[in-house]
Amino acid sequence: MRKLLIAVVAAVLMCSCTACGGGTSKNTYEDGKLVLKVWAPDEYAGAQVKAKFQKWIDDLNARPEMETIGVKLKFQAVQQMPTTLNTSAMAGNQPDLIVWDRFATPSNTQVLYPLNDLIARDGIDSSAFMAEAYNELTVYDKEGNAVQYGLPMNLDPWGIYINTDIVNEYNQGKEASEQIDVNDLGTWTKVLDAAKKLTVRKGSEITRSGLNTTSADGQFFSFVFTGAGELINTDRNSPTYGDTVLVSDVSQIQTDSKTKRVYDTLGFFQELYDAKVCNTGHGGEDAFGNSLCAMTYGSIYFPQKIANYPAKNYKMLPYPARDRSYAGKTATVIKPNEQDANGMLNGQAGGMLGGYGLAIGQPKNKAHRNAAWEERVAKAWEVIKLWTTDDEINRLFFTATESITARADLLSDEYYSQDGIMKDIIPYLDNYKMRPSVAGYEQFEANICRSEIQKLQEGSQNALTTLAAIRDDGNTQLRQAQGRG
């Protein structure tokens, strides 16, 4: 049924695009301007985010620079973006500009237009962008050449949101040693302790969750990163490039630094699950918004999502640094920000860096790549340049949409110095990492990691068996996706 619904949605979108003259056979003009279709994914379908982004598009359309380019943008939020885009590109009805979820790039290069020649022709300075974001849009071809499929638009660091009203309520009447300092929750141990303290029970029922562990499976990579670890081998010169970094010899788990960090993350998850600090019904944003969950996970857009809920006082924290090492269920507290015996950093506060790029759609069928499409490609590229490389326009973008720019050279803008979550999180951006840029990663995260961690949560397997399943099943799926199966 789900596949059928996706197909129906894609068909409707293609029909609507064709009806407005957006296919590759001819171009559509309004007020003498070429109409360019802009698609953005699920994140932009929410009322708050969508309204801000639509206003930005309207304001951009009214700029004299757009008059010079001679285009008008028409924005549409699209669900199931990669699937819908691929279906539309088959018929030549793909969008002209795409607000593209960068991590999906390696598996969708056939529907994205390569920008190398345009970047070189126009002398685009890639160093102006945050490297992690820029590189997430880079895919290496079979000859080992780097191909760029977009320019980064924004940064979307995820973190832990903590309801400060709940913390203040808990702290009342407590000795200083028992109080929670929201400015000092930078380690796994301190977050675990705070989660236990903030959990409220009525008999066996959890009436207020201390920490959202129901959705912890989706935060796996962030916690691996805060253990200063990786999960995928991204060294292109390695014979195991694209595999997991996990060793198969159980006796080496405690001594192989890369495997150890992944194992400790699973050990920490198991400890969180065993602590029972979350009601299974408190995994959504509504629980936090209604003060039923004291700490949860969210992106930089989370405040816009909960704007209509009662909770108004909260703070965003980076994911905490690893300071716990596990042997079975036994935890030993270690010092983060120090090196282990293999010279690896024990842990640092940070997390996963999400965000979007601006890309250009490309028909799968070369017959659809006609003169009309080429004209739209040329115009779309001019819009991307204006949006991302013009300082004034870029400032208008990130202030209008309340987002963090991907322009590293503009992160010192005074807009980010105002009190709020951006001021809290920007100092940690250098500790944030993009998802591994290898083919098959999306399916590996969704189908392998999250599925196995849910089994850990249910208690049907432990950290060790979860690690083995992620390694074995993960390597199989990754190799198949990369043509090495």
Side-chain angles (χ1 to χ4, degrees):
M1 176 62 75
R2 184 179 178 184
K3 291 182 178 178
L4 176 60
L5 288 173
I6 291 172
V8 170
V9 170
V12 170
L13 285 170
M14 285 192 297
C15 289
S16 65
C17 292
T18 303
C20 71
T24 57
S25 60
K26 63 179 182 178
N27 288 333
T28 300
Y29 294 84
E30 287 188 9
D31 302 322
K33 298 176 183 178
L34 177 65
V35 174
L36 297 181
K37 295 182 298 181
V38 181
W39 280 9
D42 295 9
E43 188 78 44
Y44 291 79
Q48 295 287 334
V49 177
K50 184 177 181 179
K52 284 185 172 62
F53 192 74
Q54 181 62 65
K55 185 177 185 308
W56 155 250
I57 292 292
D58 292 341
D59 290 346
L60 183 61
N61 278 333
R63 297 283 303 185
E65 294 90 346
M66 294 290 280
E67 185 77 31
T68 301
I69 297 173
V71 296
K72 181 177 182 179
L73 306 182
K74 287 200 170 181
F75 159 60
Q76 180 178 1
V78 176
Q79 295 184 340
Q80 301 290 341
M81 173 65 85
T83 301
T84 305
L85 175 62
N86 273 274
T87 303
S88 299
M90 290 274 292
N93 286 316
Q94 71 291 324
D96 305 302
L97 274 170
I98 311 166
V99 177
W100 181 249
D101 201 342
R102 296 189 300 256
F103 89 98
T105 307
S107 301
N108 294 278
T109 56
Q110 71 278 12
V111 293
L112 301 175
Y113 184 80
L115 302 178
N116 289 46
D117 291 343
L118 296 174
I119 289 172
R121 184 196 71 188
D122 295 341
I124 302 300
D125 180 11
S126 62
S127 67
F129 300 98
M130 188 171 181
E132 288 285 324
Y134 189 86
N135 293 339
E136 199 169 21
L137 290 159
T138 308
V139 179
Y140 289 84
D141 62 20
K142 293 180 180 179
E143 289 72 39
N145 301 309
V147 183
Q148 195 70 19
Y149 288 97
L151 294 183
M153 184 180 78
N154 63 358
L155 305 179
D156 190 16
W158 280 62
I160 295 179
Y161 282 82
I162 180 167
N163 184 314
T164 52
D165 286 338
I166 292 177
V167 172
N168 292 337
E169 175 190 321
Y170 169 83
N171 285 340
Q172 288 181 3
K174 299 286 193 308
E175 295 290 336
S177 60
E178 285 298 307
Q179 291 184 358
I180 298 170
D181 183 354
V182 295
N183 296 309
D184 186 22
L185 291 176
T187 66
W188 289 3
T189 297
K190 290 177 180 177
V191 167
L192 173 63
D193 180 62
K196 291 177 179 178
K197 289 177 177 178
L198 295 174
T199 301
V200 176
R201 293 178 172 84
K202 184 177 181 180
S204 60
E205 180 187 3
I206 295 176
T207 57
R208 187 181 69 203
S209 298
L211 173 68
N212 173 11
T213 59
T214 300
S215 302
D217 57 298
Q219 318 309 313
F220 180 50
F221 286 86
S222 284
F223 279 99
V224 171
F225 291 160
T226 63
E230 298 278 1
L231 188 53
I232 305 295
N233 180 359
T234 55
D235 179 2
R236 298 191 58 80
N237 296 318
S238 171
T240 57
Y241 165 77
D243 284 356
T244 69
V245 300
L246 308 176
V247 295
S248 57
D249 188 342
V250 175
S251 67
Q252 296 180 14
I253 289 177
Q254 296 295 331
T255 57
D256 181 82
S257 292
K258 293 180 179 179
T259 303
K260 176 62 173 167
R261 278 151 177 72
V262 180
Y263 177 73
D264 281 348
T265 303
L266 294 171
F268 180 55
F269 277 24
Q270 188 168 11
E271 188 173 13
L272 282 172
Y273 295 144
D274 290 346
K276 299 187 184 307
V277 295
C278 185
N279 183 317
T280 56
H282 293 169
E285 60 195 36
D286 59 325
F288 186 87
N290 289 317
S291 298
L292 297 175
C293 182
M295 292 188 289
T296 194
Y297 321 99
S299 76
I300 205 74
Y301 293 103
F302 188 68
Q304 297 182 40
K305 289 185 175 183
I306 63 170
N308 294 325
Y309 287 101
K312 300 299 180 185
N313 299 310
Y314 44 80
K315 183 178 179 66
M316 183 183 185
L317 308 168
Y319 288 83
R322 165 183 176 260
D323 72 332
R324 299 175 79 79
S325 181
Y326 293 84
K329 288 190 176 184
T330 302
T332 302
V333 177
I334 59 176
K335 293 181 179 180
N337 301 316
E338 290 188 359
Q339 292 184 339
D340 66 11
N342 295 321
M344 285 184 66
L345 193 68
N346 277 330
Q348 60 183 9
M352 183 194 75
L353 182 67
Y356 299 92
L358 286 172
I360 298 174
Q362 175 172 264
K364 284 189 174 182
N365 187 340
K366 291 184 178 180
H368 291 143
R369 301 175 190 176
N370 56 20
W373 170 73
E374 289 177 352
E375 180 185 1
R376 295 202 306 279
V377 167
K379 296 292 188 179
W381 171 243
E382 292 303 315
V383 174
I384 290 177
K385 285 195 301 179
L386 178 67
W387 193 323
T388 61
T389 68
D390 183 286
D391 292 0
E392 179 185 356
I393 299 296
N394 197 257
R395 284 190 174 93
L396 290 173
F397 163 67
F398 64 70
T399 54
T401 58
E402 297 182 41
S403 59
I404 299 178
T405 180
R407 285 276 301 278
D409 58 335
L410 295 181
L411 287 173
S412 60
D413 191 275
E414 63 180 0
Y415 172 77
Y416 297 121
S417 66
Q418 60 187 313
D419 289 339
I421 59 171
M422 293 185 185
K423 183 179 179 181
D424 292 338
I425 213 71
I426 283 178
Y428 295 94
L429 284 180
D430 286 342
N431 293 348
Y432 274 77
K433 294 184 178 181
M434 65 181 184
R435 298 173 177 97
S437 186
V438 298
Y441 164 80
E442 309 98 288
Q443 294 78 18
F444 167 66
E445 177 182 342
N447 301 335
I448 304 296
C449 294
R450 298 189 69 163
S451 176
E452 296 301 328
I453 292 172
Q454 286 169 5
K455 295 176 185 176
L456 177 67
Q457 180 181 10
E458 294 162 0
S460 61
Q461 59 191 31
N462 59 28
L464 185 61
T465 53
T466 303
L467 182 83
I470 289 174
R471 180 194 63 230
D472 296 342
D473 296 344
N475 284 341
T476 297
Q477 187 172 89
L478 287 164
R479 290 168 187 171
Q480 289 175 346
Q482 296 159 21
R484 301 184 293 121

